[in-house]
Amino acid sequence: ARSRTVGELLAPTSPFDKKCGRENWTVAFAPDGSYLAWSQGHRIVKLVPWAQCLNNFLLHGTKNGANTISTRLPRQSSESGQKNKPCEHIIDCGDIVWSLAFGSSVPEKQSRCVNIEWHRFKFGQDQLLLATGLNNGRIKIWDVYTGKLLLNLMDHTEVVRDLTFAPDGSLILVSASRDKTLRVWDLKDDGNMMKVLRGHPNWVYGCAFSPDSSILCSVGASKAVFLWDMDKYSMLRKLEGHHNDVVACEFSPDGALLATASYDTRVYVWDPHIGVILREFGHLFPPPTPIFAGGANDRWVRSVCFSHDGLHVASLADDKMVRFWRIDEEYPVQVAPLNNGLCCTFSTDGSVLAAGQDGSVYFWATPSQVSSLQHLCRMAIRRVMPTSQVKNLPIPCKVVEFLCYQI
């Protein structure tokens, strides 16, 4: 089936587009669904209110110029705590933007930060930040509500390829860089760098937190997929199975599964707790043998993301296709065309997939399916129980296999 197009946001063209690419390496939704952000190329990041964006799609059809979708709205003040309507911002980051991530201070557990009273920034419970990773190795932190620059983090020596915030509201930020390291920053401590995670033999392409913030996955060149214990800042295990560079990763909403995308034309779905591959989604048929896995560059998988229902995975490949997969089926359930796509992510409510290409963003409706009661129960259990604990439960083998996503 072909996915239904919801809309598109087209970046404005400029005189030097032909001399320098407008690659859109990253697109993201705010955790509360209030904003959409994407890199337009030429160091510009666009922040738009997502609800207003959807309304414009409904009113004016699918096509919207990125400079014409907004009527100016009142600014939202994070200092006063007043919740006005969100407004659009255009941010000039000063260098090519490779990565961005939203961070929310909504507290879900006690913060790791101490001595808050001595810090420059006293983040409230309604704080929403945007982190941008740049070509020169810097990370700039912006206030989403005002568009103002708050922090400039400068320890990386190469491109900051990916960023991810801990989902627990602690404002802990992890950055992945071509300098072969991951760095852990505490934004509640004025952006203090807490730890450097070393172990990747080459470029680090991506990183992602588990839903409970206890595990970090990082992927990169040399087939690397690493899992880190974020309480001890130590490596848990290395996952082996890909045959080429691994470029993207994301955990399922219950933390029981991990999806990774690679230039070997495959997406793997792992059980990260025991390091086993549960599913393989191939983008080239027949799949290439390991010795030629890097040769099919027209099928390289660029991005992968998990839907919020825990049942679907979206992937984006160089064969000009976006695919939606069910985790229990071998073939895509929906597809959509996209040339030169580089990144994709689901909206906060899971109803829309956004994909970035040449400075613009395209949107499709995601597969709609009512989750079974069994699957909902499985997700509820797996949010709090790793695979080892599930296997020790005094329940029938078939139920254990279902809870471990093996059937």
Side-chain angles (χ1 to χ4, degrees):
R2 185 158 173 167
S3 297
R4 178 176 60 86
T5 300
V6 173
E8 57 190 46
L9 296 175
L10 304 178
T13 57
S14 59
F16 49 98
D17 280 344
K18 295 180 181 179
K19 300 178 182 178
C20 177
R22 282 191 301 154
E23 288 89 354
N24 179 354
W25 289 104
T26 180
V27 59
F29 289 93
D32 62 359
S34 58
Y35 278 94
L36 166 75
W38 80 96
S39 58
Q40 288 191 342
H42 310 313
R43 69 192 201 182
I44 300 299
V45 169
K46 190 72 172 286
L47 270 167
V48 296
W50 175 234
Q52 181 184 345
C53 187
L54 274 180
N55 287 337
N56 275 14
F57 290 152
L58 294 174
L59 290 173
H60 306 296
T62 61
K63 291 191 177 182
N64 275 286
N67 285 339
T68 62
I69 69 165
S70 75
T71 53
R72 292 294 172 180
L73 295 173
R75 290 198 168 218
Q76 187 163 350
S77 172
S78 59
E79 295 177 357
S80 66
Q82 295 178 349
K83 288 285 187 179
N84 297 320
K85 289 183 179 181
C87 62
E88 178 182 308
H89 295 291
I90 298 176
I91 297 174
D92 187 341
C93 296
D95 203 348
I96 296 172
V97 181
W98 284 84
S99 54
L100 58 83
F102 283 99
S104 171
S105 63
V106 176
E108 296 178 15
K109 67 176 184 180
Q110 187 175 359
S111 172
R112 307 180 196 187
C113 184
V114 295
N115 295 331
I116 296 289
E117 64 272 12
W118 297 107
H119 296 162
R120 201 153 43 110
F121 300 108
K122 297 179 181 179
F123 292 123
Q125 292 187 3
D126 64 339
Q127 191 72 37
L128 186 61
L129 305 179
L130 181 71
T132 54
L134 307 181
N135 191 68
N136 58 11
R138 295 191 178 190
I139 302 167
K140 292 187 176 182
I141 310 297
W142 310 82
D143 186 318
V144 171
Y145 301 140
T146 64
K148 292 181 179 179
L149 178 65
L150 298 178
L151 292 167
N152 198 351
L153 312 178
M154 298 183 289
D155 279 297
H156 280 297
T157 58
E158 293 283 349
V159 170
V160 180
R161 190 64 186 81
D162 199 17
L163 295 164
T164 183
F165 276 94
D168 59 10
S170 62
L171 292 183
I172 299 296
L173 173 70
V174 175
S175 54
S177 172
R178 286 184 180 175
D179 64 13
K180 307 178 186 179
T181 68
L182 298 126
R183 295 175 190 258
V184 186
W185 314 82
D186 187 350
L187 298 193
K188 286 188 176 179
D189 191 11
D190 289 349
N192 176 48
M193 191 184 69
M194 303 163 59
K195 199 73 178 177
V196 181
L197 304 180
R198 304 181 189 274
H200 279 267
N202 214 313
W203 291 359
V204 190
Y205 281 107
C207 55
F209 268 103
S210 63
D212 64 359
S213 304
S214 65
I215 299 175
L216 179 82
C217 176
S218 62
V219 297
S222 306
K223 315 171 192 176
V225 180
F226 292 166
L227 295 178
W228 307 84
D229 183 329
M230 293 307 287
D231 291 322
K232 300 177 181 177
Y233 299 111
S234 60
M235 190 184 299
L236 282 173
R237 63 179 58 88
K238 182 179 180 180
L239 305 182
E240 297 183 345
H242 279 296
H243 305 296
N244 203 336
D245 294 359
V246 189
V247 294
C249 60
E250 188 165 72
F251 283 89
S252 63
D254 59 3
L257 303 174
L258 171 70
T260 58
S262 170
Y263 287 163
D264 65 10
T265 75
R266 298 171 174 92
V267 166
Y268 285 154
V269 178
W270 309 75
D271 184 327
H273 303 284
I274 58 177
V276 173
I277 298 173
L278 300 177
R279 303 282 185 275
E280 176 182 327
F281 299 137
H283 296 66
L284 181 65
F285 300 97
T289 58
I291 194 170
F292 294 112
N297 57 3
D298 61 334
R299 296 293 190 278
W300 280 1
V301 188
R302 294 284 183 177
S303 185
V304 66
C305 54
F306 245 107
S307 70
H308 297 261
D309 61 9
L311 282 174
H312 295 90
V313 173
S315 65
L316 189 155
D318 281 349
D319 63 354
K320 306 177 183 179
M321 295 292 287
V322 177
R323 293 172 173 85
F324 296 92
W325 313 78
R326 264 188 66 106
I327 60 171
D328 54 0
E329 294 185 14
E330 185 178 357
Y331 299 104
V333 293
Q334 287 185 16
V335 296
L338 181 69
N339 291 333
N340 304 322
L342 293 173
C343 60
C344 64
T345 188
F346 283 95
S347 62
T348 306
D349 64 1
S351 63
V352 173
L353 181 81
Q357 172 246 10
D358 293 341
S360 301
V361 190
Y362 298 83
F363 304 92
W364 294 275
T366 58
S368 57
Q369 188 166 2
V370 178
S371 298
S372 67
L373 180 59
Q374 291 98 320
H375 175 66
L376 294 175
C377 291
R378 173 169 60 183
M379 290 185 66
I381 293 171
R382 291 311 309 269
R383 286 182 195 276
V384 296
M385 296 188 76
T387 305
S388 58
Q389 292 183 16
V390 171
K391 289 189 173 182
N392 290 330
L393 292 174
I395 54 178
C397 293
K398 285 293 183 183
V399 179
V400 171
E401 291 177 3
F402 179 76
L403 291 177
C404 294
Y405 289 90
Q406 294 173 355
I407 56 173

